[in-house]
Amino acid sequence: HVQLVESGGGSVQAGGSLRLACTASGFTIGGANMGWFRQAPGNECELVSTIASDGSTYYADSVKGRFTISQENAENTLYLQMNSLKPEDTAVYYCAAMSIPSLWCGGQGTQVTVS
């Protein structure tokens, strides 16, 4: 049974930081292309960042220079360090395997609110 559980969200003021975590069970993050997505109310599911199995990364223009994606294989955990947060970063954040589009914003997610 594959499960990805996001955590680390919260409410912060603009300019603040949060570190999101995505812990996997029944699935090895290190061997997969993984992504962080977000969805604000009334908006489409948006790709935020990806990390490939070779370690290469991608960032949406809106977060480039502020967010950092990483993974800790020993913990089977994916991270998203978010700095200089802006109100427009407010959304539910999800992690998912890039190979399963139907689950990109389909998990429980973690709420990030920036005021």
Side-chain angles (χ1 to χ4, degrees):
H1 176 64
V2 175
Q3 189 172 23
L4 298 173
V5 179
E6 302 92 345
S7 62
S11 296
V12 297
Q13 292 188 336
S17 298
L18 286 171
R19 189 191 194 202
L20 306 185
C22 169
T23 302
S25 58
F27 179 78
T28 301
I29 284 180
N33 297 330
M34 299 295 297
W36 282 100
F37 299 81
R38 66 186 181 187
Q39 189 166 27
N43 287 6
E44 298 286 328
C45 182
E46 176 189 11
L47 175 63
V48 175
S49 179
T50 66
I51 184 165
S53 55
D54 65 359
S56 57
T57 58
Y58 160 84
Y59 297 95
D61 287 343
S62 58
V63 307
K64 200 172 294 183
R66 301 187 297 122
F67 290 11
T68 303
I69 191 170
S70 63
Q71 61 190 39
E72 177 52 64
N73 291 341
E75 299 173 357
N76 205 25
T77 300
L78 182 73
Y79 295 101
L80 185 69
Q81 177 67 43
M82 306 187 298
N83 299 329
S84 302
L85 283 161
K86 303 175 181 180
E88 50 263 45
D89 295 319
T90 295
V92 179
Y93 283 71
Y94 304 87
C95 67
M98 297 303 295
S99 61
I100 312 176
S102 62
L103 296 180
W104 284 354
C105 283
Q108 69 172 35
T110 185
Q111 176 71 48
V112 171
T113 303
V114 185
S115 59

